[in-house]
Amino acid sequence: MTAALPAPRSFWRDTHPSALLSGLITMVIGWAGPNVLIYSVAQAAHLSSGTAMSWLWTHAIFTGITGIFLSLRTRTPILSTWSTPGIAFLVTALPGIPFPEAVGAFITSGVLVILLGTFPPLTRALQAIPTPLAAALNAAILLPFGFRALQAFGQLPLLVGAMILTFFVLRQLAPRWAVAGVLLAGVVASAGLGLLSGAPVPFELTRPEFVVPAFSLHATLNLALPLTLLAFTGQFVPGFGVLKANGYEPAPGLVLRACGAASVGAAFFGCHNLTLGALLANIVSGPEAHPDADKRYTAAVWAGAFNIAVGLFAGTVLHLMGVLPTQALAALAGLALLTATASSLSAGFQGSRPGSLAVPVILLVTLSGITPLGIGAAFWGILAGLAVNWVETRPARS
């Protein structure tokens, strides 16, 4: 459903203190959890701090604008964010690929998302991928973050142990604040153990860096296609599911085209896919966001506005993350993605037929890190899973 943009007075009348608070909480959790994953990508791919800051700045500004536009346009609480499975995938897939070629792949992926929103047959083709297999691919990409968190615990047990304890305690008492609490615990424990970096943190506006893209078949196969699949299966599909569960059904084509167009624009400043929010979508679309379901769109608008405001100082946020030891960042990333990992594993195994080997094959192939023909393991993982699934279902079709 679509509607005309509401007048400013209408928006202010519809706003409720709980909507403003939900928008603020969404921003805080996003920056304390998924957003800091860019630090892991920058370290793994040896990106300059300027490139990482530009990536983070672009994500915050473009998703803020996209979410505000879609929420006002549809009167639906639509949260835009980057592809969290995509950024997790890039930790291992981006190293070795020149960044201009990666940007070319980001543009290609954005165009593919626009096509998905323009031509329904393409959307149906991706939707034909069984949900358990898509969930298994997400789990295989997210699991290494949990492994690295455990390795960090082995290196600094007091620091990481305090963060893990905080996470599980807050999950029982205030789940919404669990990830933000982990970040606070990491800062306090690092300071108490004398592990904080003494480097000065500049407080200044961040300047985005324009990147001239380059296009290659290698980057298209290794980055563009997996990123598109992950954006669709790991963000758009569950994102629409969250909205539907809360009583909202915006037109998929409009959302896909808007996010795809924003992704193309953001790519020129070094940012990958911008998608429909899934992990944080319940905060702005659930009952806590506003007592009136028809006015919860204001919570998503506030989330976008807060994201833009903080994103202007993305470099300062990134420098603040650099003050923490790498073990604390590894623990933060692993714990922030733990719920998503559990959901993906559960959906993968519970949704499979008894005795099916498709999901284990996807996990094993993707986690193996193999790169036949120079193509990344995630691509071969989903391909192998689809092949096994096809073989297993042939007798049933006969």
Side-chain angles (χ1 to χ4, degrees):
M1 62 180 179
T2 59
L5 292 174
R9 288 183 180 178
S10 175
F11 169 77
W12 288 109
R13 283 198 304 268
D14 291 347
T15 291
H16 188 274
S18 62
L20 193 148
L21 179 60
S22 293
L24 178 63
I25 291 172
T26 300
M27 181 275 294
V28 170
I29 295 177
W31 281 86
N35 288 16
V36 301
L37 296 178
I38 188 60
Y39 201 84
S40 300
V41 177
Q43 288 183 324
H46 304 290
L47 301 179
S48 69
S49 60
T51 299
M53 292 176 194
S54 180
W55 195 330
L56 200 54
W57 180 95
T58 306
H59 155 256
I61 302 303
F62 276 70
T63 56
I65 293 173
T66 305
I68 290 173
F69 166 74
L70 287 172
S71 297
L72 294 176
R73 182 78 173 84
T74 65
R75 294 293 186 100
T76 299
I78 295 178
L79 189 68
S80 178
T81 183
W82 62 16
S83 171
T84 301
I87 198 70
F89 164 71
L90 289 171
V91 173
T92 55
L94 186 57
I97 296 179
F99 197 63
E101 291 186 20
V103 168
F106 297 165
I107 294 172
T108 301
S109 184
V111 171
L112 290 174
V113 172
I114 294 175
L115 292 176
L116 287 172
T118 304
F119 300 103
L122 293 178
T123 305
R124 288 195 292 269
L126 268 182
Q127 288 176 318
I129 297 175
T131 300
L133 304 193
L137 179 62
N138 282 336
I141 290 168
L142 296 174
L143 276 169
F145 287 88
F147 298 154
R148 284 191 281 271
L150 291 175
Q151 291 165 358
F153 176 74
Q155 296 166 354
L156 292 175
L158 290 178
L159 168 62
V160 178
M163 297 174 71
I164 293 174
L165 180 63
T166 300
F167 176 77
F168 283 101
V169 169
L170 286 179
R171 276 199 84 231
Q172 300 302 316
L173 301 177
R176 174 179 295 185
W177 292 98
V179 176
V182 169
L183 175 59
L184 179 60
V187 172
V188 173
S190 296
L193 296 170
L195 297 174
L196 290 179
S197 169
V201 177
F203 183 76
E204 58 188 10
L205 291 171
T206 298
R207 295 182 180 180
E209 296 181 353
F210 184 84
V211 181
V212 179
F215 298 89
S216 70
L217 180 61
H218 176 74
T220 298
L221 292 176
N222 280 280
L223 296 183
L225 296 183
L227 281 173
T228 305
L229 176 62
L230 289 170
F232 191 83
T233 60
Q235 294 283 161
F236 285 112
V237 171
F240 282 119
V242 169
L243 289 174
K244 188 173 183 179
N246 285 290
Y248 305 99
E249 295 189 60
L254 172 64
V255 176
L256 286 165
R257 290 192 298 271
C259 290
S263 296
V264 172
F268 286 97
F269 299 96
C271 184
H272 73 300
N273 306 69
L274 306 181
T275 64
L276 181 63
L279 296 177
L280 302 177
N282 276 303
I283 300 177
V284 295
S285 61
E288 298 86 357
H290 200 295
D292 186 343
D294 291 335
K295 299 177 181 178
R296 289 176 194 161
Y297 75 92
T298 57
V301 171
W302 281 112
F306 285 126
N307 228 10
I308 293 172
V310 176
L312 294 173
F313 300 90
T316 299
V317 175
L318 196 61
H319 278 106
L320 284 172
M321 293 299 107
V323 170
L324 293 171
T326 55
Q327 291 85 354
L329 293 172
L332 176 61
L335 291 169
L337 294 171
L338 187 57
T339 301
T341 304
S343 298
S344 295
L345 285 171
S346 177
F349 283 106
Q350 291 184 7
S352 300
R353 296 177 309 282
S356 173
L357 296 178
V359 167
V361 165
I362 291 177
L363 291 171
L364 290 172
V365 173
T366 305
L367 288 170
S368 71
I370 60 172
T371 56
L373 304 178
I375 301 175
F379 177 83
W380 294 114
I382 190 64
L383 199 64
L386 288 170
V388 171
N389 183 70
W390 180 77
V391 170
E392 290 178 342
T393 55
R394 286 193 70 192
R397 292 191 183 118
S398 300

